[in-house]
Amino acid sequence: MTDPLIPAVLAFRDNGTPYSPLYNDIYHSAVGSLEQAQYVFLRGNALPGRWQGRRVFTVLETGFGMGINFLMTWAAWRADPERCARLHFVSTEKHPFTQADLRSVCAKTIPDPEIASLAAMLADAWPMLVPGSHRLEFDGGQVTLTLIFGDAAATLPVLRLRADAFYLDGFAPARNPDIWSPAIFKSLARLAGEEATFSTYSSAGEIKRALLQNGFVYQKIDGFGWKRAMLAGHFSPRWRVRRYEPPAPLAVDERHAIVIGTGLAGCAAIERLTARGWRVTSLERHAAVARGASGNPAGVFHPLISRDDSVASRITRAGFLYALRRWEALERLDGGKRLRSDAGLLQIASDDAEAHAIREAIERFGYPSGYVHAVDAGEAQRLAGTPLARGGSFFPHGGWVDPAALCASQCAAAGDLLTRRFDAEVGRLERIDNQWSVFDTAGQLLGRAPVVIVASAHEAARLASLRYAPTRSIRGQLSLLPPGSVAPLALPVIGDGYAVPLADGVTLTGATYELDDPDATLRPDGHRENIERVIAMLPGFQRNLDSAHIANLDGRVAFRCVTSDRMPMIGQLADETAAARDAQRLRGAWPLDLTRSEGLYGAFAYGSRGLVWATLGAELLASQIEGEPWPLTQDLAEDIDPARFLIRALRQGTVS
């Protein structure tokens, strides 16, 4: 179970140096925070020289604190004309500052105007204080900060990245021994790239021993300020210290990808790849984008709250927060035009027991009110503007989006790097000469590229020839209630059903849930079911809806693709033929043991959570392709790995 976050307490020593009352230690030397970062961490890792001429360079820090090391690294990158194309900075923090305290401490302690300006940008982008990964982008995505809020002892072992430099900057070993434990250094060795460097202000004997035991070579050099000595060195193991190598970029002759499908999954992948300079060809069997389930008039988005902070809750939380940041960036590109509603979203509990359980979960995890807060029936009625059956949860940043508009915005952001082909019915894929060839149903070549992303929902498993991908189809019928037919709503309300007030006065309700039902025609019974579920949540909802009105309602039928565990399929696809050949050896396999289909990736089976999963899923795919730090921890990525069902079959001995 995820532990709740406990924010840092902002305090100052008599000399004005910020310190932590929890650890009774200072955040930086009283001699100067900027000078310390420059001397100990940039100079100690031979930066900026080591990132010059590199496409991607990754720094991993233990202990984000005030963010001074990140700000100084960012400033050095900006000032370097030979800088790497993309700088990744990954940092863990068990006790992050609140946004207000971060602004305050930076304003009081950063004298340099340039660094203060960067600190203001960091504070503006500062994430909500909820556990997990938070990916922030600066300078058009060329500088990426991935913050991991949680205990480093728990989070470092599940990071997936290749570090080029380590900033070891926790509180002093005597004050915070946990962040200098042997297990921490073992995790660092697992993540180190070839010749990765490290530096730390500390020169304690236990740190030297832990470094040597895990394959690092160190030098003792002059310390900063009043410190007599510090350590710097590099990763150079004399023996094998890890089972798996850290991720590397896919070796390609040309940065060109084919994306099959232009719904939420496909368009998000297009935007994330082209943002990194990839050329993308999209193939769509319809005449326009977002014609399948992504073509619904609106879709709701919100986090998922559970008493045990389940895998689905953690992935949805990360996806929700990352999607909000990416949508804001798209809105800025489009002159500030909003893609989504902004009044929040209300989730009504199905009964009093559920309302109590959700309230307990919100209190247990200490979620900030800007993320979610429990509301009683009276407060819920005030928010919705109509009587409600009971209270529930309010998500201030939840709401609804027009999926087709979002897809169009993502494709527009790709600009000239995107080539679109419509009415292209893909029949099969074939690997030829280190590239994937994509053929239509008549056998004609549609395109060739070293990378293919299959984002075509129900067709994805067939196109990728996956036997171990148990997807099914869910028929969902939506109902569109004309203006004046029902009581007006101030915001979307969801529960056992949902009601979404659209901009034109129409209210969207839905959706039915019918397994493996291929009928695409509207049914009066489906409209009636949708309305009855909404009335159970909103007793005053029904106004002018008799049987005649219901029979003539407009609506839409769409088919959602789901897996048997209701989690999406996102990641590089496994080579099932190779797995079958080595089935006996792979009986106890882990995902990293599998041979993967080179250059072939999947993004499908998003069910009803495409809006909160698609953008994060696309960032995960792009990170895997580019060899960048993953935006999700490895354990969560494995829970949505398309190979997870193959792994289960191998362990059960049913792969032949």
Side-chain angles (χ1 to χ4, degrees), residues 97-177:
F97 282 112
T98 65
Q99 185 179 49
D101 283 350
L102 182 67
R103 288 190 196 279
S104 177
V105 72
C106 288
K108 291 178 180 178
T109 60
I110 298 179
D112 185 291
E114 179 188 358
I115 306 302
S117 174
L118 298 182
M121 285 191 269
L122 171 62
D124 288 342
W126 195 242
M128 298 183 206
L129 297 194
V130 295
S133 301
H134 302 265
R135 179 158 284 193
L136 315 179
E137 296 179 4
F138 304 96
D139 286 344
Q142 295 178 89
V143 174
T144 300
L145 170 62
T146 304
L147 290 166
I148 316 295
F149 287 166
D151 190 337
T155 58
L156 282 175
V158 290
L159 295 187
R160 186 75 175 133
L161 57 85
R162 177 181 293 264
D164 299 298
F166 294 101
Y167 293 1
L168 307 184
D169 193 27
F171 290 116
R175 308 287 187 182
N176 184 17

Side-chain angles (χ1 to χ4, degrees), residues 320-339:
F320 171 76
L321 296 173
Y322 184 68
L324 290 180
R325 287 189 282 272
R326 289 306 315 149
W327 295 347
E328 288 170 2
L330 290 171
E331 289 167 347
R332 287 193 297 270
L333 284 175
D334 200 17
K337 182 181 177 182
R338 294 281 292 185
L339 288 167

Side-chain angles (χ1 to χ4, degrees), residues 1-5 131 151 154 306-311 313-314 317 360-361 363-365 367 635:
M1 183 181 292
T2 306
D3 292 327
L5 278 184
D151 190 337
S306 60
R307 283 176 287 185
D308 60 350
D309 200 32
S310 65
V311 167
S313 293
R314 284 178 279 157
R317 176 166 66 238
E360 279 192 336
E363 293 174 354
R364 157 72 177 85
F365 296 111
Y367 294 129
D635 55 334

Side-chain angles (χ1 to χ4, degrees), residues 181-206:
S181 68
I184 293 290
F185 287 93
K186 182 178 181 180
S187 293
L188 301 182
R190 184 182 66 84
L191 301 170
E194 294 79 6
E195 294 299 311
T197 60
F198 76 89
S199 62
T200 174
Y201 60 84
S202 180
S203 59
E206 62 266 32

Side-chain angles (χ1 to χ4, degrees), residues 617-655:
E619 179 70 3
L620 175 61
L621 292 181
S623 299
Q624 290 178 345
I625 292 168
E626 289 279 81
E628 297 175 356
W630 290 9
L632 274 177
T633 54
Q634 184 177 323
D635 55 334
L636 294 182
E638 289 177 352
D639 286 317
I640 57 176
D641 188 339
R644 64 188 184 274
F645 296 102
L646 173 62
I647 289 283
R648 294 171 195 174
L650 286 166
R651 291 174 179 172
Q652 294 165 0
T654 57
V655 174

